[in-house]
Amino acid sequence: MAVVMKFGGTSVADPPALQRLIGIVRQHLPAAGSADAVPVVVVSALSRVTDKLIAITRLAEEGDTAGVADEMHALVERHVAVATAVTDASRAALVANIRGEFEELTGLVHALAVLREVSPRSMDAVLAVGEIVSSRIAAAALADCGIASEWVDARTVLVTDADHTGAVPDMTATCERVRTHVAPIVAAGKVPVLGGFIAATASGVTTTLGRGGSDYSGAIFGACLGVGEIQIWTDVDGMLTADPRIVQAPHVVPHLSFSEASELAYFGAKVLHPSTILPAVAKNIPVRILNSHRPENRGTLITEQAQHARGMLTAIACKRDVTVIDITSTRMLMAHGFLRRLFEVFERFKTAVDVVTTSEVSVSVTVDDTRRVDGILDNLQNFAEASCEPHMAIICAVGENLRADPTLFARAVTALDTIPLRLVSQAGSRRNVTFVLRDNDVPEAMTRLHEQFFRR
Ligand code: ADP
Ligand code: ASP
Ligand code: MG
């Protein structure tokens, strides 16, 4: 079965991680004489590198050239050390290549430091270097241990619009490029290795798909190639019943539907970028989340349909630090067109709304991108009273069973008991229930819900 294998930052973090990657890829090579295709490998930047690159852009904005130089030096040396440890025949060329990429980046960042301004377009050019060098290292490491492989510059393949730092792929153009740039390498029996997250506009300007976007890249390439499975290799055993950073000892969910996975990813299950499922749904390709530290585990399989034990929720997720905007208007009473006018304001300010609740005279929404909240409030105040409350959070309980079993909703509310709930909403699909509450209450609320539904 042809597969795309996407390895996240911790799965390419250091030499031992790259050795595990090589072992996993080797296991997925087709047996001699088999008609199966070789896997396609997509990698993120080495763990924490994207954060460091963002920190470098902040230093540039402050004009701190000494700080930039220090951070840049640490990054170059870390990459060179990893490259040196995992290669042999390709070592000299690879190290020269890495130094060259960082030299170019240093020139760019110094120019930004002079201007003290980092536009979204420049930000993408800076961040892309993380995935460019990590994919070069992975390709060379595979080749040096005898796995025929070829590095492909993902920016020549993944075509997006020019919405920098969160660009939207053009699937038709991308699939065309996959056919011409990637498929022939697979046909020749070589493993193509690409950086995730990075892309370019049709005219060749570097873009990125937004934080965590390598998962999305993997799914896009998988959909274009029509593979049998899109594998997301990470540092946990699969989709867990709750965020392991908040709840103690969550369990692996063995099977999820596409819709459940989308809801969980959207509402904060960081293990999957929220858009990952879209290309998979379009081509009905299963997605599997696997642990690169324990490749023998089965992980979580995400398919169109999933069966769960009766009376169970599937998982809970949370999105922290969102802002609630309350809009009240007595004029809304019976007035058609009010909601259109209201949502037009959010559209004008390019701000996505997550949870919406309405009563006769008020509407409350949550947003997690607060960059334009002041403008939104100003505009709303032209025709309604509007106020906002920061430091809130969304908890989302997901499960196909919510449809059939009305007691699940009641049990969730009961479990939250004395915790003040700001908004409660059950989606029309009845696949999820969302609670909006104070961010400070999240650990307690998640723990109680997890106890209620997942205690073994
Ligand atoms: P990668 O670098 O492999 O893409 P990420 O850090 O993006 O990894 O995603 C994996 C992390 O997602 C896990 O280490 C875990 O802390 C976090 N996470 C949050 N919610 C969940 C969940 N429901 N299931 C699994 N992991 C989750
Ligand atoms: N390196 C990018 C990030 O940290 C993309 C990814 O890891 O998926 O956001
Ligand atoms: Mg990720």
Side-chain angles (χ1 to χ4, degrees):
M1 176 176 63
V3 294
V4 164
M5 315 174 83
K6 176 262 165 174
F7 293 87
T10 49
S11 304
V12 289
D14 48 25
L18 280 151
Q19 296 304 342
R20 284 193 294 274
L21 176 150
I22 291 166
I24 292 167
V25 172
R26 200 189 290 285
Q27 280 216 316
H28 283 78
L29 292 177
S34 135
D36 270 356
V38 291
V40 173
V41 171
V42 177
V43 295
S44 294
L46 309 196
S47 160
R48 295 185 317 281
V49 165
T50 309
D51 292 337
K52 292 270 181 216
L53 290 168
I54 292 174
I56 286 174
T57 63
R58 301 270 178 271
L59 292 170
E61 273 175 336
E62 290 158 15
D64 182 353
T65 44
V68 165
D70 285 350
E71 291 289 340
M72 200 70 90
H73 177 74
L75 267 188
V76 181
E77 295 315 316
R78 176 174 170 203
H79 283 87
V80 167
V82 172
T84 305
V86 298
T87 52
D88 186 2
S90 335
R91 186 176 301 147
L94 176 64
V95 168
N97 192 285
I98 291 170
R99 291 202 184 279
E101 288 290 350
F102 278 106
E103 231 162 78
E104 213 175 291
L105 176 64
T106 304
L108 169 62
V109 175
H110 279 295
L112 298 174
V114 171
L115 295 171
R116 295 202 177 194
E117 190 197 357
V118 181
S119 66
R121 179 172 166 155
S122 313
M123 177 71 100
D124 277 349
V126 173
L127 297 194
V129 175
E131 267 72 7
I132 293 168
V133 288
S134 68
S135 55
R136 285 222 182 248
I137 293 172
L142 284 165
D144 280 11
C145 69
I147 298 175
S149 63
E150 190 167 325
W151 180 74
V152 181
D153 187 341
R155 295 167 300 176
T156 63
V157 182
L158 216 166
V159 185
T160 66
D161 66 9
D163 195 357
H164 288 280
T165 73
V168 178
D170 174 340
M171 284 304 283
T172 311
T174 302
C175 287
E176 186 54 44
R177 304 261 188 108
V178 167
R179 260 192 295 284
T180 53
H181 293 51
V182 182
I185 301 173
V186 175
K190 287 194 276 185
V191 175
V193 182
L194 301 98
F197 175 63
I198 58 174
T201 62
S203 55
V205 179
T206 298
T207 56
T208 64
L209 302 180
R211 293 304 309 268
S214 294
D215 302 336
Y216 193 16
S217 300
I220 292 167
F221 298 139
C224 290
L225 289 161
V227 295
E229 189 168 283
I230 296 160
Q231 299 180 345
I232 306 291
W233 290 87
T234 183
D235 61 350
V236 283
D237 281 333
M239 179 67 80
L240 302 172
T241 47
D243 190 330
R245 295 165 301 179
I246 299 174
V247 168
Q248 273 186 4
H251 328 296
V252 179
V253 184
H255 202 176
L256 281 173
S257 68
F258 283 142
S259 317
E260 289 174 324
S262 291
E263 304 264 13
L264 288 167
Y266 188 78
F267 285 109
K270 183 179 173 240
V271 69
L272 212 55
H273 181 276
S275 302
T276 314
I277 296 298
L278 299 173
V281 170
K283 291 281 181 75
N284 196 11
I285 301 173
V287 176
R288 198 186 282 275
I289 305 174
L290 292 148
N291 190 342
S292 62
H293 295 262
R294 289 195 277 269
E296 63 290 352
N297 286 7
R298 298 186 56 77
T300 296
L301 180 64
I302 309 169
T303 55
E304 192 176 357
Q305 304 277 346
Q307 296 295 324
H308 302 291
R310 268 186 69 80
M312 288 296 292
L313 276 182
T314 305
I316 49 181
C318 62
K319 201 163 176 173
R320 309 278 312 248
D321 206 17
V322 303
T323 293
V324 174
I325 299 180
D326 295 304
I327 306 116
T328 311
S329 166
T330 43
R331 270 181 289 158
M332 181 182 160
L333 206 64
M334 314 286 274
H336 57 79
F338 180 83
L339 287 177
R340 178 180 48 75
R341 211 168 153 200
L342 190 159
F343 284 114
E344 267 170 8
V345 174
F346 287 89
E347 193 181 343
R348 212 172 312 132
F349 286 89
K350 293 193 166 161
T351 297
V353 160
D354 292 330
V355 179
V356 182
T357 64
T358 64
S359 77
E360 200 170 12
V361 291
S362 74
V363 179
S364 299
V365 305
T366 66
V367 298
D368 74 342
D369 177 356
T370 51
R371 284 174 299 171
R372 303 179 191 98
V373 163
D374 289 343
I376 291 172
L377 288 175
D378 269 358
N379 269 254
L380 289 170
Q381 277 154 0
N382 289 333
F383 58 93
E385 283 169 37
S387 60
C388 77
E389 192 174 353
H391 311 307
M392 306 297 284
I394 303 168
I395 290 187
C396 182
V398 172
E400 300 283 0
N401 285 339
L402 276 162
R403 235 187 261 259
D405 185 349
T407 65
L408 290 177
F409 179 76
R411 279 172 61 193
V413 176
T414 309
L416 294 173
D417 191 21
T418 51
I419 298 175
L421 302 178
R422 184 72 158 65
L423 310 173
V424 179
S425 144
Q426 178 157 39
S429 67
R430 293 182 27 235
R431 197 178 291 114
N432 76 49
V433 185
T434 45
F435 301 102
V436 177
L437 67 178
R438 285 190 310 232
D439 191 73
N440 282 341
D441 290 331
V442 163
E444 173 73 18
M446 288 286 280
T447 304
R448 284 205 216 163
L449 284 171
H450 199 265
E451 273 281 297
Q452 171 69 235
F453 290 103
F454 303 106
R455 193 179 45 183
R456 285 187 169 152

